[in-house]
């Protein structure tokens, strides 16, 4: 397969496929949060997470250090191959979760996906 970092993308997809399958089969409640959303709305994401965990917010919130995206590491052609690989290897539920990134990654040369 002519995909850069093939092994890492394979591991990424398999981890998410397996996590989604296991939580569904075991009927474990889940919450999907996206890393970059902490950059856009730190307080909202913390509230969302603590509400899900049924925990109070305590202590001070440390600054979120956004590192940007990864699109600059791959050419347009490489990004297209990666997106195809992710779409082919992902289970439908995983594909839905990754759509935010695959749509963005396929067309963008900027640093962050849109919210």
């Amino acid at each position: 397969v002519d995909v850069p970092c093939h092994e890492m993308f394979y591991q990424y997809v398999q981890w998410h496929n397996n996590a989604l399958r296991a939580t569904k089969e075991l009927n474990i409640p889940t919450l999907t949060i996206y890393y970059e959303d902490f950059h856009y709305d730190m307080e909202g994401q913390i509230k969302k997470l603590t509400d899900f965990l049924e925990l109070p917010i305590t202590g001070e919130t440390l600054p979120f250090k956004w590192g940007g995206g990864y699109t600059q590491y791959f050419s347009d052609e490489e990004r297209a191959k990666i997106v195809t690989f992710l779409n082919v290897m992902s289970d439908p539920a995983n594909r839905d979760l990754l759509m935010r990134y695959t749509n963005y990654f396929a067309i963008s040369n900027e640093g962050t996906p849109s919210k």
Side-chain angles (χ1 to χ4, degrees):
V1 178
D2 186 24
V3 175
C5 306
H6 173 266
E7 182 178 339
M8 296 308 295
F9 284 111
Y10 177 79
Q11 290 174 358
Y12 178 85
V13 168
Q14 288 303 101
W15 188 93
H16 285 84
N17 284 344
N18 290 332
L20 289 169
R21 275 189 224 126
T23 55
K24 182 178 180 181
E25 288 177 22
L26 297 172
N27 200 28
I28 298 171
T30 61
L31 171 69
T32 300
I33 54 176
Y34 293 94
Y35 171 78
E36 66 279 355
D37 287 349
F38 285 94
H39 172 70
Y40 296 120
D41 180 21
M42 179 72 145
E43 297 302 320
Q45 293 306 304
I46 290 172
K47 178 157 179 31
K48 183 178 175 182
L49 180 58
T50 54
D51 286 351
F52 176 77
L53 297 172
E54 299 177 359
L55 294 172
I57 298 174
T58 60
E60 68 177 285
T61 301
L62 299 175
F64 181 76
K65 295 182 181 178
W66 172 247
Y70 298 98
T71 58
Q72 70 272 18
Y73 297 114
F74 303 102
S75 69
D76 292 345
E77 181 182 346
E78 289 171 328
R79 286 197 309 271
K81 289 177 182 180
I82 292 166
V83 167
T84 299
F85 180 78
L86 293 175
N87 284 329
V88 167
M89 296 301 297
S90 294
D91 290 345
N94 191 13
R95 199 172 305 118
D96 290 344
L97 289 177
L98 291 177
M99 187 180 305
R100 176 185 220 184
Y101 299 109
T102 56
N103 287 347
Y104 166 79
F105 201 62
I107 61 171
S108 178
N109 217 0
E110 300 299 318
T112 60
S114 60
K115 296 193 283 183

